[in-house]
Amino acid sequence: VKPDGVELGISDDVTSRIESAGLCIDRRKLSVIEPAQVDAIYPDLVTRPFYPAMKESIVGRRALSLIVVGEHSVSETLMDRKGSVFDVSGTVRGDYSLAHSLPDEYRDLYMAGLLTEAMLLDAGFGHVIRDDRMHCDENVIEDARSINAVFFP
């Protein structure tokens, strides 16, 4: 749960929904985000023009990190692991995202596959992405990277 989500008090609902889905929270850590952690979690973004502002928006703030285990622990039905701006309603990410603030024409182009999230960020819609209240890794490589950055710095 990113800092905006922690500050809005959604952490209990997120953990409850994970556990209700039959998954186990193996580790939980509420901590202040350090600059090195952000760089380790988002190495593919550090050279992007929006990165400094994104990083600044979360460094020094509290986030709730979880290691979730279980079959399909990061499923599209629970977390919408695609991590897109337009998360699916009914998923944890979708229910707590602020993607609706993006103009319809950009949403339509994105949904049609004609715009990527990186293109939206480069076009100045970083505020929409930064308002995303959840982070969810997409694969075991990203999982390991985030787990090491947060739990074993």
Side-chain angles (χ1 to χ4, degrees):
V1 182
K2 290 182 180 179
D4 287 345
V6 169
E7 291 166 8
L8 287 169
I10 67 169
S11 299
D12 288 343
D13 183 54
V14 171
T15 56
S16 174
R17 289 167 83 168
I18 290 168
E19 291 170 337
S20 294
L23 304 172
C24 176
I25 297 174
D26 184 60
R27 290 191 185 202
R28 170 191 314 241
K29 183 178 183 180
L30 182 64
S31 61
V32 174
I33 301 298
E34 299 292 331
Q37 289 174 311
V38 181
D39 294 340
I41 293 170
Y42 299 106
D44 51 328
L45 300 180
V46 296
T47 60
R48 305 297 300 213
F50 61 83
Y51 185 75
M54 184 192 86
K55 182 177 177 178
E56 182 181 322
S57 75
I58 59 177
V59 166
R61 298 171 65 200
R62 293 182 316 142
L64 176 65
S65 301
L66 306 170
I67 297 177
V68 179
V69 296
E71 187 173 346
H72 307 293
S73 60
V74 183
S75 70
E76 291 182 25
T77 56
L78 181 63
M79 296 297 287
D80 187 21
R81 71 175 173 204
K82 293 175 186 165
S84 71
V85 177
F86 307 102
D87 296 305
V88 178
S89 181
T91 66
V92 174
R93 287 180 55 97
D95 291 348
Y96 290 115
S97 72
L98 295 178
H100 60 275
S101 63
L102 197 65
D104 290 342
E105 60 270 17
Y106 287 94
R107 175 188 292 257
D108 294 343
L109 290 169
Y110 180 85
M111 297 304 282
L114 300 174
L115 283 177
T116 65
E117 197 167 306
M119 293 166 124
L120 290 170
L121 288 164
D122 288 341
F125 289 103
H127 63 284
V128 175
I129 310 302
R130 283 195 304 275
D131 285 340
D132 177 23
R133 296 169 181 153
M134 303 292 299
H135 170 82
C136 190
D137 294 315
E138 295 185 28
N139 56 57
V140 294
I141 294 170
E142 289 181 9
D143 288 343
R145 185 172 62 209
S146 294
I147 289 168
N148 285 330
V150 174
F151 292 94
F152 308 105

